[in-house]
Amino acid sequence: MNTTWAAAFVWLGMVLAISLLEAPLKFRAPGVTVRIGLGIGRLVFRALNRAETVLAAVVVVAVAAGGLPAPVVAPTALAVAVLVVQLAGVRPVLNRRSDRVLAGEDVPRSRAHLVYIVCESVKALTLPALGIAALAV
């Protein structure tokens, strides 16, 4: 149980720090072009997604091993499902687009970025619910 809430809150902290703080701020730094920002963002989000995958696995194993109730299982399933959508569906689209930008192409804005933001927002709301539910058990 302790593992579940701890992993959920660490995961939440990473999402908030990277997606809601670092990502938008890097483009405001002096001298950071779109190409440089995309290059940095790809590295940072690749690392974040790897850490999220590990934390998601920790949460899933802890929830499965603990036989926890629906108030813990439901947000676990939602957070993991959203992560899978991001990794399998949205990130590949964003990577292809950023490849084109980094190659010098002028490409239109991508709706995939908005989908990614929605996914991050869902996780930012789901993970504290998961952590609180796990603490209450």
Side-chain angles (χ1 to χ4, degrees):
M1 255 180 303
N2 288 341
T3 304
T4 303
W5 69 261
F9 286 124
V10 168
W11 186 358
L12 172 64
M14 294 181 79
V15 167
L16 294 176
I18 299 300
S19 296
L20 301 179
L21 188 61
E22 183 276 338
L25 287 178
K26 82 172 150 265
F27 288 102
R28 300 173 92 180
V32 174
T33 64
V34 171
R35 291 182 74 193
I36 291 171
L38 281 177
I40 293 167
R42 285 173 65 143
L43 291 172
V44 169
F45 276 92
R46 186 176 305 129
L48 171 64
N49 292 152
R50 285 181 181 147
E52 285 186 288
T53 301
V54 170
L55 289 165
V58 167
V59 168
V60 167
V61 168
V63 168
L68 298 173
V72 177
V73 174
T76 298
L78 179 57
V80 170
V82 169
L83 181 61
V84 168
V85 166
Q86 285 180 297
L87 296 179
V90 184
R91 279 293 305 276
V93 173
L94 291 173
N95 285 341
R96 285 191 296 275
R97 183 183 184 279
S98 64
D99 285 343
R100 292 174 60 197
V101 171
L102 292 170
E105 284 185 52
D106 186 25
V107 295
R109 292 187 65 101
S110 170
R111 291 182 190 207
H113 188 248
L114 295 175
V115 173
Y116 198 89
I117 291 168
V118 168
C119 289
E120 290 296 85
S121 299
V122 170
K123 285 190 304 192
L125 295 171
T126 303
L127 291 169
L130 169 58
I132 291 166
L135 275 171
V137 174

